[in-house]
Amino acid sequence: ALPQGHPFTDVFLGWYWTSTTAAISPDHAWYLHLEGARMFYGGKDQAYLVWPVRGPRNHLLPRTGQQRCFDAHGQPIDCTGTGQDGEWLTGTPWPEPRFKTVGDGVLDRLTGLVWWPVGDFTPEPVTWGQALARVRDLNADLDERQWRLPGINELESLVDASQARPALPQSAPFDNLMDVYWSSTTSLFEPDWAWALYLDKGATGVGQKKLPAFHAWPVRDHRPA
């Protein structure tokens, strides 16, 4: 699940560890599967692959939100010398305050995206096609095209890796949140499936497009007055 033309060799199509503890279960850490691009968490006593990285701390990717460190049993420890996410704090710092109400939505000042202000835009689970259609209908009602079903990277940008149930920043002002949200991104590993965000855990996964399994959460670009 790497970009075409990448220069890497001997890439194993399996799980690679991250340095980020899973807030929902601190004796687990997040890992990424490089065949299907799925992200989930596994027990820290399990064995998976490692891919080192280096570079500037304040790079294009935002911080995960995690500021503490945990041992293999999920107990908090001093971050010094651990090499964990909570020690390095890499990525773009979050603005304060991060969220701001703007007209008909909530602006995430980190990404510039405006989110529908409540999480129950579709109170009942819908299929992927229905999720796309509901957002199209919203734009028709407003007589303009602005809201869209978010891509999986946009959905994942909301996640705070230090939180669970939901895995959102504590300052997030959204009400009536659901567990899982459809993205507009098809899984190229299985094109009859699409990516989704599991909000309780902060994990990304996939769902079969034809099943009414998940919810929709519209997003739009910010248009300053």
Side-chain angles (χ1 to χ4, degrees):
L2 295 174
Q4 288 186 348
H6 70 80
F8 305 109
T9 59
D10 300 323
V11 176
F12 179 71
L13 300 182
W15 295 104
Y16 283 81
W17 281 119
T18 75
S19 62
T20 307
T21 290
I24 197 168
S25 181
D27 58 345
H28 290 61
W30 291 102
Y31 49 26
L32 176 70
H33 199 282
L34 282 187
E35 182 176 26
R38 292 191 66 182
M39 183 186 74
F40 208 67
Y41 52 87
K44 292 178 177 177
D45 58 349
Q46 302 299 304
Y48 300 106
L49 295 174
V50 176
W51 195 333
V53 68
R54 64 179 173 86
R57 290 194 178 189
N58 292 339
H59 48 62
L60 292 176
L61 297 174
R63 291 184 180 178
T64 66
Q66 194 162 102
Q67 300 182 47
R68 297 195 298 164
C69 298
F70 302 84
D71 65 15
H73 304 289
Q75 298 302 309
I77 58 174
D78 179 18
C79 282
T80 305
T82 63
Q84 294 184 31
D85 187 3
E87 178 184 20
W88 284 101
L89 299 176
T90 56
T92 301
W94 296 358
E96 289 291 344
R98 178 163 169 180
F99 297 98
K100 177 183 178 182
T101 299
V102 288
D104 57 354
V106 174
L107 169 65
D108 183 349
R109 297 176 60 241
L110 176 64
T111 62
L113 296 172
V114 176
W115 295 89
W116 193 252
V118 290
D120 59 351
F121 175 74
T122 53
E124 75 289 343
V126 295
T127 68
W128 187 67
Q130 289 170 336
L132 292 164
R134 296 285 181 89
V135 179
R136 284 197 302 269
D137 292 345
L138 173 63
N139 287 325
D141 292 340
L142 297 173
D143 197 29
E144 59 180 309
R145 179 180 173 85
Q146 57 174 349
W147 294 100
R148 62 181 182 273
L149 193 66
I152 190 59
N153 288 348
E154 292 175 318
L155 269 176
E156 196 175 1
S157 72
L158 286 171
V159 169
D160 181 344
S162 72
Q163 303 295 320
R165 301 188 182 98
L168 291 177
Q170 290 183 324
S171 62
F174 307 108
D175 294 322
N176 304 330
L177 293 169
M178 302 298 176
D179 183 23
V180 192
Y181 288 95
W182 285 114
S183 80
S184 61
T185 308
T186 290
S187 168
L188 294 187
F189 186 69
E190 296 173 300
D192 57 335
W193 296 61
W195 287 98
L197 175 68
Y198 288 75
L199 194 59
D200 270 11
K201 304 177 180 70
T204 58
V206 291
Q208 200 166 8
K209 292 177 177 179
K210 66 181 181 181
L211 297 180
F214 307 144
H215 300 267
W217 193 351
V219 71
R220 64 174 175 83
D221 297 324
H222 181 43
R223 298 178 301 176

